[in-house]
DNA sequence: GTCTATAAAGTGATAGAC
DNA sequence: GTCTATCACTTTATAGAC
């Protein structure tokens, strides 16, 4: 039994998934509403009707799910950070990749990413000791960003290794950055 | 005394500089030929006439100057890598930033960056020992990319510190990655 | 509810006047 | 050599037919 409301919800979900994939692959400007509609087996007019504008569609598709709170002893912080990074390397976080790819040409996407990263970074910096705590947490963010982008988006040489192998290399770096 | 050839050379140089700035600031798609022409105090028709197409203009503006060869003992390699990174953090490499920003939405730019990074990475990997040499050199590349992008493009929190402070943190990481 | 047709605006590229 | 005028095309967004 499919009510109209249910049917609509499914169509919206299909559109959102298609939008995430395409924004992640081609960025904001090169992804057209028509492309999204086609991949979702729908049409452009309907996409506009449901989401209002391409901008709003992007905002919903590229909303980055917040990581859990980071807290505890330095060792615990390091472990939570490495676990979060490991997950981001192993899977392909579609919404985050869409936001990451788009952020370089779409200022609103840049704000979204900066907001998500700053929130986590502040938590970390507050719990680190040393007067270079802010810079150290910044380098942690840059390393994380660099690894995720290099692996999933740029597909840089050497980063197609198994997540475990990469973490065996990057994990100690993060520990070092946390302890100072 | 300004010959016509000389005058033309100067106009081309103005256009290239304007193109580098704008491509670096807005990316490929959002930078229009008209914008470049206006900033260079010229006009769109002339830009097309000199460079043939927007694509060719970008290729010339975003050509990444190759870093010097990397070689020597592990300690020397580490020193050359940190010196190159330090330079990239201190200055704003306009052509490289244009290529970096554009690479996420413009496949040709992605190839340009990947080519430049792979060349350096291969050199490094060949001289590292250990069976994870390729992955380690990949992480070096990802860290470098992450730091440059986070500082100059994303303007991430904590990365506006003085280059010396950042290098005091990142330098040891690179040494560690080189020695294994 | 879904889709077709079209409007309005802006793009890269070109032809040709001065 | 330089610049104006315009072409052909594509985009988002909307109005209205079924």
């Amino acid at each position: 039994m499919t009510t109209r409301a249910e049917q609509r919800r499914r169509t919206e979900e299909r559109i959102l998934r298609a939008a995430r994939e395409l924004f992640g692959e081609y960025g904001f400007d090169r992804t057209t509403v028509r492309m999204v509609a086609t991949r979702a087996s729908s049409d452009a007019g309907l996409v506009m009707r449901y989401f209002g504008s391409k901008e709003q569609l992007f905002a919903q598709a590229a909303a980055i799910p917040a990581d859990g709170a980071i807290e505890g002893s330095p060792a615990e912080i390091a472990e939570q950070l490495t676990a979060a990074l490991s997950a981001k390397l192993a899977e392909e976080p579609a919404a985050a990749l869409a936001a990451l790819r788009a952020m370089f040409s779409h200022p609103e996407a840049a704000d979204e990413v900066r907001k998500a990263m700053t929130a986590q970074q502040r938590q970390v910096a507050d719990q680190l000791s040393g007067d270079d705590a802010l810079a150290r947490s910044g380098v942690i963010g840059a390393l994380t960003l660099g690894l995720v982008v290099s692996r999933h988006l740029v597909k840089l040489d050497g980063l197609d290794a198994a997540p475990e192998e990469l973490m065996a290399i990057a994990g100690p770096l993060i520990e070092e950055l946390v302890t100072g």
Side-chain angles (χ1 to χ4, degrees), chain A residues 77-96:
Chain A
I77 290 177
E79 199 201 314
Q80 289 165 35
L81 285 171
T82 51
L85 174 56
S86 182
K88 291 194 188 81
L89 291 180
E91 63 190 75
E92 291 232 347

Side-chain angles (χ1 to χ4, degrees), chain A residues 78-79 82 170-180:
Chain A
E79 199 201 314
T82 51
L173 301 182
I174 291 183
E175 284 174 38
E176 199 176 322
L177 285 167
V178 169
T179 58

